[in-house]
């Protein structure tokens, strides 16, 4: 993904996937304070070179689940 701030939730449901940001300092996935930011429900998934921020506040909320 190109550098920038992406205000969204990401669901990865495909096996053998690499989700790679352009630069961990400037490629941001922002959960806007609600729920899980990146939800991985597949096998052999790599998420790298991102800043992941602003998940929800509940016990089950996280940056990456």
């Amino acid at each position: 993904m190109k550098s920038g701030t992406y205000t969204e939730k990401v669901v990865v449901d495909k096996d053998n996937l690499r989700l790679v940001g352009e630069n961990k300092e400037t490629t941001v996935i922002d959960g806007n304070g609600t729920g899980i930011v990146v939800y991985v429900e597949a096998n052999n998934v790599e998420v790298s070179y991102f800043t992941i921020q602003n998940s929800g506040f509940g016990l089950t909320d996280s940056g990456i689940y």
Side-chain angles (χ1 to χ4, degrees), residues 36 56-62 65:
I36 297 166
F57 298 101
L59 293 175
T60 59
D61 297 337
S62 61
Y65 179 85

Side-chain angles (χ1 to χ4, degrees), residues 3 17 34-35 37 39-41 44-45 53 59 61-62 64-65:
S3 289
L17 184 77
T34 59
V37 181
Y39 185 84
V40 178
E41 53 184 33
N44 197 29
V45 173
Q53 63 187 26
L59 293 175
D61 297 337
S62 61
I64 299 176
Y65 179 85

Side-chain angles (χ1 to χ4, degrees), residues 22-64:
E22 187 172 54
N23 179 305
K24 67 181 180 178
E25 303 298 325
T26 59
T27 310
V28 178
I29 303 174
D30 188 309
N32 202 30
T34 59
I36 297 166
V37 181
V38 178
Y39 185 84
V40 178
E41 53 184 33
N43 296 307
N44 197 29
V45 173
E46 175 187 342
V47 179
S48 57
Y49 295 102
F50 290 95
T51 294
I52 298 172
Q53 63 187 26
N54 293 328
S55 65
F57 298 101
L59 293 175
T60 59
D61 297 337
S62 61
I64 299 176

